[in-house]
Structure formats: C-alpha cells, structure tokens
Amino acid sequence: MDLVTDDQEAPTTGVRTTEPLTQYLQRANQRAHAFDRRHPLLWDLHFTGFWVTAALIDYTGGGWRTITHSPDAPGPLLLALSLGLSAPLLWRRTHPAAVLLAMAPFALANAWTGTALQAALLQLVVVYHIALRLPLRNLWWATALMLTPVVISTARYGEGEWSQQIGSQLTSVLVAVLIGITVRTRQNYTEALEDRARRLEIERDQQARLAAAAERARIAREMHDIIGHNLSVITGLADGGRYAAGKSPERAAQALDAIATTSRQALGELRRLLDVLRDEGTAAHPAELAPQPALTDLDQLIDGVRNAGLPVHTTVEGRTTLPPGRQLTVYRVIQEALTNTLKHAGPDATSEISIAYGDKGAVTVTVTDTGTPTTTAPSDGRGLPGMRERTALYGGTLEAGPRPRPEQGWRVRLHLPEESPQ
C-alpha cells in the first residue's frame, strides 16, 4: 500500500521519492568518499595490505603451483615477485605510471621464469588508475607493457595459441581501461555540475545584491523626493506663519493648517513607500495601497507650493496619454525643480511650468524660476542624479542649469521621446 501511495503522489508533487535503501547507500558512499579525501593514506594502506596478504597467501599456500611452468622455483624468487607485484600499489593513485614501470621488471621475470604468479594481474589495477588520472595517450605504452610478458611466456613455454593468449590479456586490459574511462567521465561530469552549481550560486548572490542595491537606490530616490519637497513646503509655510503671527493671526492659522495638511500628505506617501519593505505575510493587500503620484496630482502639488509662498504659473499644451511610469517621472521632476526653487531661489522668486504633450508618450517639460543663479543651483545630493536616473529609464534627456543671459534664474528641461513599439 505504501508503494501505491508513493506512485499516486508522485504525479501530484512532481518529486520522485528515493527508496530508503538507495538513500542509505548514497549516504554511505558520500561518507566513504569524504573519509578517503581526509585520510587517503589510510585507505591506500588497507588496499595495498589486502593484496600483499593475498599474494603472500598464494605463495605460502602453494596455490601458484596449479598453473606454474616452474614448480621448483626458489622461495626467495617467489617472495620477491609476490612483493614486487603487490607492494607498489601503495602509490597507484599518486604515481600510476611510475608504479606500472616499477612492476614491469617483476612481471617480465614472472613470465621468463615461468612461475606465472597471479599477482601479475594486479597490474590491471594500475592500468585502471592510468586511464582514470593520466592523459589517455599513456595507454599506448601501458598496453604494450602489459602484453610483453604474455608474448614472452607464450614464446618460451608455448602454452596455447598466440591469438588466444594475447587476445585474453588484451581483453582484460581493455576492460580495465573502459572502467577507468567510465569513472573518469562520471567524475568530470560531476565536477562540471558542481562547478556550474557554484557559478549559479555566485550569480544568484550577485543578482540579489544588484537587485538590493537597485531597490535601495529607488527607495532613497523616492524618500528624497517625498521628504525633501514636503519639508521645503513646510519650511516655507512655517516662515510665512511666523512673520504673519504678529500682524495677521488669521494668516498664521491658515499657514498652520497648510503645514498640517502637507505633513499628513508626506506621512501618507512615506507609509505607502515603506509598505513595500514589509514581508508578504504582513504587507497590506495591493488593492488597499494608494497608487504612486500621477499628473492628476500636479494641481495639489502646485497649490502646496503656492501656499508656501512661491507663485507658480502653469502652461499645458496637448492632452496627456502618458503611461503611469512616465507620469511619475514627470511628476517627480517637477516636484524636485519646485523644491529646489523653494530652497534656493529666495523670497521674491517666481516659477513657470510649461508642459507640452506629444504623440505616443512624448512629452517636454520646462520649469524656470527667477531666482539668482548662484543661489538657485541645487546642492550636491540625490536631487539632480535622481532626476537623471528617472529620465534615463525612458531614454529621455534632462537639462538643468542657469537660464541664458540676460534672463535670471534657473531652468530644468525634461524631454521624453516617443515610446518604442514593443
């Protein structure tokens, strides 16, 4: 019943569950590989010790006599051949080519004397490691070195046919080589996957940092536009109310009302902006959030600036067909230009706004004032860079600087071209 349940759930979840035995084997394999990476010498000693012991058992137990051509071979020779064909396996992973060359004289002596010890087959382990770790061109001389003892033994003792003896040895070598190449290919594939995963993680982290930086810049720009403008308006209203407090209490009360209205508006905009920083689980529903300022809010913006003491004249040509993003850009540029005029133009300055709408989202906005150029220039900060960033999003141009002589004051000119077809 458990298997039926797993098969029924797999199409729904899209995840194929791994059998417990497979998971256990995978974990055991991973632990074994991790231990081998930490202590390679320990595993090499165990591996070499096992085969040295097997070779010595074959020698001392007399098992070699069943296939030997020289049953009367001296014991020291047999001991030397057994150790010479097994002990070098200790360095098979670090120096496989040197190990095979070190074993070659013992293999030739084994074939020439006719002892035919089975320990000679351990050369196949070394050939496997050559195929696994070295350039494949080394397999040519390694194969020739493996076939030489067979040729010597066949020529000297005439056992079996040449094709059968050489073919059998060549098949053994090819099997060892194919196993080594298969394992090597899988290791390379696994390393490529791990490298790709690391690169993807690095790229993901970089994208996250870039997105966070862009979001911080956007929030900083919005905070500057909201706080800078509204505080400038509040400052102008407070100065006007202070001067009017002694002579006209009614004008002072009006200024206080305007300060309260502007403050509430600034707080509302700040709340809407900060809502995007909250977690999805605690953020308000999108339908409950008020939209970003648009061109329909320009009148309210200009009225607030007028209440702060800056006369503003507006001229509009054409009808707006701008999408929300372009409307926000136009609104923020006008807001920043009026804020700079309030802050730097002086008490007797006036401002004029000219908006010309074109076709397909094109628009040209010019904001001028009559302040003194040296005092009207905005200080170094986020204002002008923020306006340029917004303009660049739509491929537009922004010019800001003193008005040409003999006129006095500051001019900001924004132009957004027609929208390119998608």
Side-chain angles (χ1 to χ4, degrees):
M1 293 301 293
D2 292 340
L3 294 177
V4 174
T5 303
D6 292 340
D7 293 338
Q8 291 174 350
E9 291 179 355
T12 303
T13 60
V15 178
R16 183 178 178 180
T17 58
T18 307
E19 295 294 334
L21 179 59
T22 304
Q23 292 179 347
Y24 174 79
L25 293 177
Q26 289 177 349
R27 289 194 297 268
N29 186 44
Q30 291 173 357
R31 286 194 294 267
H33 280 290
F35 181 82
D36 184 38
R37 284 192 296 269
R38 293 193 302 269
H39 310 284
L41 181 60
L42 185 61
W43 167 247
D44 290 339
L45 287 173
H46 279 79
F47 184 86
T48 304
F50 173 82
W51 289 113
V52 168
T53 303
L56 293 178
I57 290 175
D58 182 52
Y59 156 59
T60 56
W64 60 279
R65 298 181 184 276
T66 59
I67 58 173
T68 186
H69 300 292
S70 303
D72 298 328
L77 174 64
L78 295 174
L79 178 62
L81 292 179
S82 298
L83 294 177
L85 292 172
S86 58
L89 291 177
L90 182 64
W91 299 278
R92 74 196 183 283
R93 292 200 290 185
T94 55
H95 304 89
V99 169
L100 187 62
L101 291 174
M103 297 170 70
F106 297 95
L108 294 175
N110 184 51
W112 182 263
T113 58
T115 52
L117 294 179
Q118 294 298 303
L121 295 177
L122 294 177
Q123 294 179 99
L124 295 174
V125 177
V126 184
V127 172
Y128 160 80
H129 281 279
I130 290 177
L132 178 64
R133 304 176 190 281
L134 298 182
L136 297 182
R137 60 177 179 270
N138 291 279
L139 294 175
W140 294 106
W141 64 263
T143 302
L145 200 62
M146 290 287 294
L147 294 178
T148 301
V150 177
V151 173
I152 293 176
S153 178
T154 304
R156 185 171 174 80
Y157 297 100
E159 179 182 348
E161 298 181 358
W162 284 80
S163 58
Q164 181 181 2
Q165 294 297 321
I166 295 178
S168 176
Q169 181 72 353
L170 184 61
T171 301
S172 300
V173 172
L174 289 178
V175 170
V177 168
L178 288 177
I179 295 175
I181 293 176
T182 301
V183 175
R184 179 177 187 166
T185 303
R186 182 171 180 82
Q187 288 181 351
N188 292 339
Y189 178 70
T190 303
E191 291 175 358
L193 289 179
E194 292 176 350
D195 181 68
R196 182 171 181 269
R198 285 193 297 269
R199 291 177 180 273
L200 288 176
E201 290 179 359
I202 294 173
E203 183 179 355
R204 180 199 61 192
D205 295 340
Q206 290 176 343
Q207 292 293 337
R209 286 194 293 269
L210 290 175
E215 184 65 13
R216 285 195 298 268
R218 185 189 71 82
I219 293 173
R221 188 169 57 240
E222 295 290 341
M223 294 278 285
H224 169 270
D225 292 340
I226 294 171
I227 297 176
H229 170 75
N230 288 287
L231 285 181
S232 297
V233 173
I234 291 172
T235 301
L237 291 171
D239 290 339
R242 182 182 61 184
Y243 291 129
K247 299 180 180 180
S248 178
E250 295 180 358
R251 295 291 299 275
Q254 292 176 358
L256 292 175
D257 290 339
I259 289 174
T261 302
T262 305
S263 300
R264 283 191 292 270
Q265 179 183 354
L267 286 174
E269 293 187 27
L270 285 176
R271 288 193 185 100
R272 291 195 297 271
L273 178 62
L274 295 177
D275 277 340
V276 301
L277 301 178
R278 300 205 277 174
D279 295 335
E280 293 182 359
T282 59
H285 191 274
E288 300 173 358
L289 300 178
Q292 289 275 29
L295 293 179
T296 54
D297 301 308
L298 270 180
D299 292 339
Q300 183 179 359
L301 172 67
I302 293 172
D303 289 341
V305 173
R306 287 171 179 161
N307 292 334
L310 176 64
V312 180
H313 177 70
T314 304
T315 303
V316 179
E317 298 179 6
R319 298 183 58 184
T320 175
T321 57
L322 301 181
R326 292 189 171 221
Q327 290 190 37
L328 179 61
T329 298
V330 172
Y331 180 92
R332 291 303 190 194
V333 169
I334 294 175
Q335 183 185 52
E336 179 64 25
L338 293 177
T339 300
N340 288 332
T341 301
L342 278 172
K343 292 164 63 176
H344 304 291
D348 299 326
T350 61
S351 181
E352 183 174 349
I353 302 174
S354 175
I355 305 176
Y357 297 109
D359 297 330
K360 300 180 181 179
V363 62
T364 301
V365 178
T366 304
V367 183
T368 58
D369 62 59
T370 58
T372 305
T374 56
T375 59
T376 307
S379 59
D380 294 335
R382 297 184 179 271
L384 187 57
M387 288 193 290
R388 295 192 187 280
E389 290 174 4
R390 292 182 185 277
T391 305
L393 291 176
Y394 300 98
T397 58
L398 181 74
E399 301 173 2
R403 299 172 65 184
R405 296 180 180 276
E407 297 177 340
Q408 192 177 29
W410 193 265
R411 181 184 69 174
V412 175
R413 184 179 183 276
L414 165 71
H415 174 71
L416 299 183
E418 296 181 357
E419 292 185 278
S420 57
Q422 299 297 326

